[in-house]
């Protein structure tokens, strides 16, 4: 079975679940940047009743979460194995999506921590998925990045980053706390990268290529030298790298 027919077959099965109105393919498979061993990312968009148990009852091996188990922004999902292929399924409530569309157009968003994400995630990530995913069943909006959100998200993310940089400079660098200091610098760089991409009006769906897309790959070299130079200098160089990138993005 080729890739397109596999994706459509899975989408057809997911679309048959009660409450599901649309199914999309996301991640590298949707963008055409996948490797042979890349997993498959599907999102199911439901309205009203949707029961994760219905997905469990399909019989695919793996783990299916309850609604809300992945936090307030990510509704939950599943890690499955379908025909020997790794498949992730994300649950998306269309009522929430419609609310976030209205919020984003007014420049508003919220932010919360999520496992494996250094900077956490913004609520507009749900809209980024819509903008980049490939719809396989049903109909879904494909939003542009709203102008009010560009400025508010840039200021908010850079405000987070500045506070984290300052805490690293004042509370860890003077005491030589290498691990904690560099961890905060990396977190602040991720926050700065969100600011850069927001200023450009570019959607982002995860942190895997966040630093490189924002032009902050030099942070690797800065962090690598942290153990052989004064930590104050490390903090300063990381801050200057990010501040320049954010300023340039805002000016563009």
């Amino acid at each position: 079975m080729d890739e397109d027919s596999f994706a459509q077959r899975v989408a057809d099965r997911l679309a048959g679940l009660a409450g599901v109105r649309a199914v999309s393919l996301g991640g590298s498979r949707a963008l055409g940047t996948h490797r042979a061993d890349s997993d498959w990312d599907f999102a199911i968009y439901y309205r009203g009743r949707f029961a994760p148990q219905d997905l469990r009852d399909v019989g695919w091996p793996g783990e299916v979460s309850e609604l809300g188990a992945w936090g307030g922004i990510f509704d939950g999902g599943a890690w499955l194995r379908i025909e020997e292929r790794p498949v992730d399924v994300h649950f998306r409530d269309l009522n929430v999506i419609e609310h976030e569309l209205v919020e984003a157009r007014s420049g508003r968003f919220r932010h919360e921590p999520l496992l494996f994400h250094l900077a956490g995630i913004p609520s507009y990530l749900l809209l980024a998925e819509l903008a980049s995913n490939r719809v396989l069943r049903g109909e879904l909006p494909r939003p542009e990045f709203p102008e009010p959100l560009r400025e508010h998200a840039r200021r908010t993310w850079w405000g987070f980053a500045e506070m984290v940089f300052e805490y690293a400079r004042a509370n860890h660098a003077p005491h030589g706390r290498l691990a904690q200091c560099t961890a905060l610098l990396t977190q602040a760089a991720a926050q700065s990268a969100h600011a850069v991409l927001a200023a450009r009006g570019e959607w982002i769906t995860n942190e895997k290529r966040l630093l490189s897309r924002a032009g902050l790959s030099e942070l690797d070299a800065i962090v690598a030298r942290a153990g052989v130079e004064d930590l104050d200098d490390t903090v300063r160089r990381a801050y200057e790298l990010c501040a320049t990138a954010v300023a340039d993005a805002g000016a563009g």
Side-chain angles (χ1 to χ4, degrees), residues 197-212:
L197 295 183
R200 293 179 187 165
E202 295 182 20
W203 296 116
I204 185 76
T205 59
N206 60 56
E207 288 187 346
K208 293 176 183 176
R209 296 179 55 243
L210 182 60
L211 294 186
S212 61

Side-chain angles (χ1 to χ4, degrees), residues 6 12 70 89 141 143 173 229 240:
F6 172 77
D12 289 346
W70 293 1
V89 178
E229 69 178 8
E240 290 175 354

Side-chain angles (χ1 to χ4, degrees), residues 1-8 29 34-36 40 85:
M1 179 181 295
D2 63 31
E3 293 185 349
D4 285 341
S5 59
F6 172 77
Q8 195 61 57
R29 297 280 178 180
H34 59 281
R35 305 184 307 269
W40 295 75
R85 305 182 197 213

Side-chain angles (χ1 to χ4, degrees), residues 36-60:
D37 62 344
S38 295
D39 60 4
W40 295 75
D41 295 294
F42 294 89
I44 55 177
Y45 292 82
Y46 67 89
R47 191 183 298 280
R49 178 197 178 276
F50 169 71
Q53 186 59 46
D54 291 346
L55 179 55
R56 297 187 188 102
D57 291 343
V58 172
W60 289 322

Side-chain angles (χ1 to χ4, degrees), residues 53-105:
Q53 186 59 46
D54 291 346
L55 179 55
R56 297 187 188 102
D57 291 343
V58 172
W60 289 322
E63 179 181 342
V64 179
S65 83
E66 295 301 326
L67 295 179
W70 293 1
I73 295 174
F74 272 10
D75 198 12
W79 296 290
L80 305 172
R81 195 81 182 172
I82 304 176
E83 298 181 16
E84 300 306 316
R85 305 182 197 213
V87 172
D88 294 346
V89 178
H90 299 155
F91 305 154
R92 300 289 180 258
D93 186 335
L94 282 168
N95 290 335
V96 172
I97 295 296
E98 290 163 0
H99 172 76
E100 293 304 336
L101 280 168
V102 172
E103 290 291 283
R105 289 167 185 154

